[in-house]
Amino acid sequence: LSGYLSHFPFLKRVKHVGVLTLLLVMVAVSVGTWRGGLQYGVDFSGGVAAQVRFEHPVSDKQLIGALDPMHLEGLMTQQYGDNNSVWLLRFGLPDMPAQQLGEALLSHLQTVDDGGTVSLDRLETVGPKVGDDLRSSALEAIYYALLLITVYISGRFEQRWGTAALLAGALTATMIALQWMGVPTEGRILAALLLTLFLCWRFRLSFAAGAMASLIFDVTTTTSLLVILGQEIDLNIVAALLTIIGYSLNDTIVIYDRVRENRRLRGPKANIAEVVNASINQSLSRTINTTISTVIAVGTVSVFAVIYNISSILSFSIPMLVGIIAGCYSSTCVTGPLWVMWKQFREKKLRGGEA
């Protein structure tokens, strides 16, 4: 396998890879939207999240009926596991202390599992204003991480620190202006990402554009798959996404280093597609071995979390598993081919202008 992969013609399959990438993104986003879109956890939406465990299986109708006397606003139930014995309850924040709320929940739910015991695994409460502020800060943290990466890649591989700094300043000013105009956080992030890609194209920051597109792919596919799996978006997910960005960027930088070195060795007249293909193949075994090792480590943590029912660890390890695989694919099959397509398009446009 390693011998075959060391000579795989990635750039000859660039159209197939491009179609596959677009299909992956479209399917992930479409199915995620069909499943109801992003479901923010209590960290971001505010309210109460209570995970309860029964000795015997119970139904959601039994839960809702038992809690009806408490008049919990917006009560939602979600099954955990396969035997209907663990449930997540979400509802608006009532006007009572957390300890009293926990006792009241257990008191009402005790009637559901007749003869069995009921326990409260976790109880989280967050005010709506705090949740909204946390959500905005988390989205901005992800965007600014991508922006700083753009600056770093442009400076390191294209030696254009000044242009990169001006780009960062302009985009930061845009974010502030959109916030002053009252644009929602999601709208500001989307507008800034599109503007970032456009400015990278306009100022010929091809390395930065390839890295940015690769990382956007990682975040988009990982988040969509988490929605499909029914995961709530909370602070653990955001921490995992930021970790995935750094992990995927490391693989991208390794490939970019090989591209820069091979261009220096082969000279300026070398075919860029051949240079990039050779660079990807030279670093491929390292990328695959690193990914497999990391997946084994994170997978072991996930199994441990499932066995001992540690939901806080599981909500971090599951997105890490998805993101590591997505990062391996994007750094190998998206970053390099996209950079070649970008360079060839610019060269063709310059030749057309000279003609």
Side-chain angles (χ1 to χ4, degrees):
L1 179 62
S2 60
Y4 171 72
L5 290 176
S6 64
H7 299 90
F8 189 80
F10 285 98
L11 271 298
K12 288 185 179 180
R13 304 284 189 271
V14 64
K15 291 183 180 179
H16 300 86
V17 170
V19 171
L20 176 61
T21 302
L22 288 175
L23 283 175
L24 284 173
V25 174
M26 291 174 63
V27 169
V29 173
S30 299
V31 176
T33 303
W34 175 72
R35 287 292 301 270
L38 295 177
Q39 297 293 326
Y40 291 109
V42 173
D43 292 338
F44 296 148
S45 62
V48 178
Q51 183 173 319
V52 293
R53 180 182 302 275
F54 297 90
E55 186 175 347
H56 306 108
V58 299
S59 68
D60 58 341
K61 291 182 179 180
Q62 288 177 291
L63 292 175
I64 295 173
L67 296 174
D68 187 62
M70 293 185 67
H71 303 291
L72 300 174
E73 181 182 357
L75 175 62
M76 294 170 47
T77 62
Q78 180 180 344
Q79 177 189 344
Y80 269 36
D82 299 324
N83 59 357
N84 285 3
S85 62
V86 182
W87 291 84
L88 177 67
L89 310 176
R90 292 187 57 192
F91 47 88
L93 189 63
D95 187 18
M96 68 174 67
Q99 182 177 355
Q100 184 180 345
L101 174 62
E103 294 172 353
L105 287 173
L106 289 176
S107 175
H108 285 79
L109 293 174
Q110 194 68 52
T111 61
V112 175
D113 190 1
D114 189 23
T117 59
V118 57
S119 60
L120 190 62
D121 288 351
R122 65 185 175 104
L123 180 67
E124 301 173 359
T125 61
V126 176
K129 180 65 171 64
V130 175
D132 186 62
D133 290 343
L134 281 173
R135 183 172 69 250
S136 297
S137 299
L139 290 172
E140 289 176 0
I142 293 174
Y143 170 71
Y144 283 119
L146 295 174
L147 179 58
L148 290 174
I149 286 168
T150 302
V151 173
Y152 171 74
I153 294 291
S154 301
R156 175 170 175 177
F157 294 100
E158 297 174 290
Q159 303 302 314
R160 300 180 65 183
W161 289 104
T163 302
L166 289 174
L167 174 70
L171 290 169
T172 302
T174 300
M175 286 284 288
I176 295 173
L178 291 174
Q179 184 177 9
W180 179 76
M181 293 167 60
V183 178
T185 305
E186 292 82 355
R188 297 201 307 270
I189 299 300
L190 179 60
L193 284 174
L194 293 175
L195 183 59
T196 302
L197 291 173
F198 170 75
L199 291 177
C200 286
W201 174 83
R202 177 64 182 82
F203 293 108
R204 300 190 296 277
L205 302 175
S206 53
F207 281 107
M212 174 71 83
S214 172
L215 296 176
I216 291 175
F217 170 85
D218 297 338
V219 173
T220 303
T221 52
T222 302
T223 305
S224 299
L225 287 174
L226 291 176
V227 171
I228 294 171
L229 293 173
Q231 287 276 337
E232 292 183 332
I233 308 301
D234 56 16
L235 289 175
N236 282 338
I237 301 292
V238 173
L241 290 175
L242 291 172
T243 306
I244 290 164
I245 288 173
Y247 181 90
S248 179
L249 177 66
N250 181 62
D251 283 341
T252 299
I253 287 176
V254 170
I255 294 174
Y256 278 172
D257 270 329
R258 296 305 307 163
V259 170
R260 183 172 58 179
E261 185 65 24
N262 285 329
R263 291 182 76 189
R264 186 183 298 120
L265 292 173
R266 299 189 183 195
K269 294 184 179 180
N271 184 285
I272 58 172
E274 294 178 358
V275 169
V276 171
N277 197 74
S279 301
I280 294 174
N281 282 306
Q282 288 167 6
S283 58
L284 189 59
S285 59
R286 172 205 173 275
T287 300
I288 292 176
N289 290 334
T290 303
T291 300
I292 292 174
S293 301
T294 311
V295 166
I296 291 173
V298 178
T300 303
V301 172
S302 300
V303 172
F304 175 84
V306 170
I307 292 173
Y308 292 96
N309 191 38
I310 308 176
S311 57
S312 58
I313 294 179
L314 197 61
S315 65
F316 179 82
S317 61
I318 292 299
M320 281 294 297
L321 279 174
V322 175
I324 287 168
I325 296 171
C328 177
Y329 172 82
S330 66
S331 60
T332 303
C333 301
V334 176
T335 305
L338 183 63
W339 182 80
V340 171
M341 292 172 61
W342 192 291
K343 296 290 286 186
Q344 290 175 340
F345 174 77
R346 297 292 304 190
E347 290 176 0
K348 186 182 296 185
K349 187 176 179 181
L350 287 174
R351 287 196 299 268
E354 292 173 357

